[in-house]
Amino acid sequence: MNFRQPLTAALSVITLSIASAAYAADYPTRPITLIVPFAAGGPTDVVARTLGNELSKELGQPIVVENRTGAGGTLAATFVANAEPDGYTYLIHHNGMATATALYPNLKFDPLKSFAYVGEVVDVPMTLLGRKSLPPNNMAEFIQYAKSNADKINLANAGPGAVSQLCGSLLQQALGVKFTTIPYQGTGPAMAALLGEQVDVLCDQTTQTIPHIAAGNVKFYGVTTHDRISKLPDAPTLEEQGLKGFEVKVWHGIYAPAGTPAESVATFNKALQTALQSPAFTGKMADLGAEIVSKDRQTPESLQKWVKSEIDKWTPVLKAEGMNVN
């Protein structure tokens, strides 16, 4: 009987186990790159840089934030999907990860197969606003006004695939109306148009809208999350005001290329969960109106399940709107 072959196989398994343990103990040994799909200074970039500072403390290595903009975040996602799966390249992305398949027919990655999931980070609530001189003063009046004057209402958004566009599309479907949609190159220009009374309605996230709501520069009709939010505790949700099941928020998750060692993902996730509780991060997010996700959502399994549910939710909405980017 030849004992050499099973002995060799056993030694190989032991060697791999030792190497894996050594990798887990040493990782990371150099800076880690965190790719942001949007411009520096924007909401996702602010989240990434604030989080990166805390992650570097936990991991003992610098977190290098790199902005790779374009095509609604798909360029950055494609870059990460094709990056070396060595545990040193990660992506932070928002809802665009789930809407990409419906918006981009020639997408070069699969949101459900091209990545190793790490965990969710923060939610940013959305708000529904009208220009200051828009006649309705509350949501009940807005619903009546919208159904009677839909052809006269201009709805601004930050461009195809933006969460403001998703919110606007869901709003029209919920009300059974069709507004005139005006896309802008970002939420900044869209908000400027609303403040200048060049458009009538805008859905936008609290990171930008809270100061204008507080100053009375806009008509404020409610928040688009399922529950009321801490920054605007007296503001009712749209669901409370008759739009059953209406929920839109900006959510952020972290991903690595598929095939990234499970040990590095686990180490990064552990650092992520600690960083999300740090006073520096929670304080900054509170200032922005962003909400740290619950502990059970800070896992790879939760993020993967969430992305799948968001794909299922938004694909029919976008198809009904005829949204498609070639």
Side-chain angles (χ1 to χ4, degrees):
M1 183 175 181
N2 185 357
F3 293 99
R4 181 172 298 175
Q5 188 171 5
L7 179 60
T8 300
L11 288 173
S12 296
V13 170
I14 293 171
T15 301
L16 286 173
S17 297
I18 293 172
S20 177
Y23 176 90
D26 293 342
Y27 174 85
T29 59
R30 54 187 171 87
I32 294 172
T33 299
L34 180 60
I35 302 295
V36 177
F38 309 107
T44 301
D45 181 73
V46 172
V47 171
R49 293 180 188 276
T50 308
L51 182 62
N53 289 336
E54 301 308 304
L55 285 170
S56 67
K57 297 174 185 177
E58 297 302 317
L59 294 168
Q61 292 289 339
I63 302 296
V64 180
V65 176
E66 181 179 325
N67 301 87
R68 286 182 172 264
T69 63
T74 61
L75 293 183
T78 299
F79 174 81
V80 173
N82 293 319
E84 185 70 26
D86 55 8
Y88 289 91
T89 303
Y90 290 85
L91 169 73
I92 183 168
H93 204 348
H94 67 13
N95 310 52
M97 182 64 84
T99 60
T101 52
L103 290 170
Y104 296 87
N106 300 315
L107 200 63
K108 296 181 180 179
F109 66 88
D110 184 331
L112 297 176
K113 297 179 180 179
S114 299
F115 302 96
Y117 289 76
V118 179
E120 293 182 70
V121 181
V122 295
D123 291 334
V124 183
M126 299 286 285
T127 52
L128 178 62
L129 309 176
R131 58 177 167 83
K132 190 173 182 179
S133 61
L134 198 67
N137 293 308
N138 54 53
M139 192 60 192
E141 292 179 7
F142 178 81
I143 291 173
Q144 292 183 339
Y145 182 82
K147 291 183 175 182
S148 302
N149 300 275
D151 59 337
K152 302 175 184 177
I153 294 177
N154 294 324
L155 172 68
N157 66 46
V163 183
S164 58
Q165 186 266 331
L166 300 179
C167 182
S169 296
L170 193 62
L171 177 66
Q172 292 174 84
Q173 291 186 25
L175 295 176
V177 299
K178 189 73 173 177
F179 301 143
T180 299
T181 300
I182 303 178
Y184 288 84
Q185 295 297 315
T187 54
M191 176 59 75
L194 187 74
L195 295 173
E197 306 220 350
Q198 299 161 7
V199 295
D200 301 308
V201 183
L202 171 68
C203 281
D204 199 7
Q205 55 187 298
T206 54
T207 49
Q208 180 164 245
T209 64
I210 284 178
H212 298 299
I213 293 170
N217 296 330
V218 293
K219 290 285 180 70
F220 173 44
Y221 298 121
V223 296
T224 66
T225 46
H226 182 269
D227 300 310
R228 295 192 182 196
I229 62 175
S230 58
K231 272 290 184 179
L232 299 166
D234 297 326
T237 68
L238 299 193
E239 184 174 39
E240 285 180 65
Q241 300 178 88
L243 301 188
K244 298 302 180 184
F246 195 102
E247 182 178 21
V248 185
K249 60 187 176 184
V250 183
W251 51 268
H252 299 78
I254 294 183
Y255 312 80
T260 298
E263 295 86 357
S264 66
V265 172
T267 298
F268 197 96
N269 176 265
K270 182 179 179 181
L272 172 66
Q273 294 197 36
T274 302
L276 292 181
Q277 305 307 315
S278 68
F281 187 74
T282 57
K284 181 66 173 180
M285 294 304 102
D287 290 342
L288 296 174
E291 301 179 343
I292 313 298
V293 300
S294 58
K295 197 79 171 177
D296 61 304
R297 292 177 54 196
Q298 298 168 16
T299 67
E301 298 77 15
S302 177
L303 177 57
Q304 187 168 27
K305 182 179 179 181
W306 178 253
V307 172
K308 176 64 167 62
S309 70
E310 286 286 279
I311 290 173
D312 293 342
K313 174 180 178 177
W314 290 111
T315 296
V317 173
L318 292 169
K319 286 185 176 180
E321 285 286 297
M323 293 299 301
N324 194 288
V325 181
N326 295 311

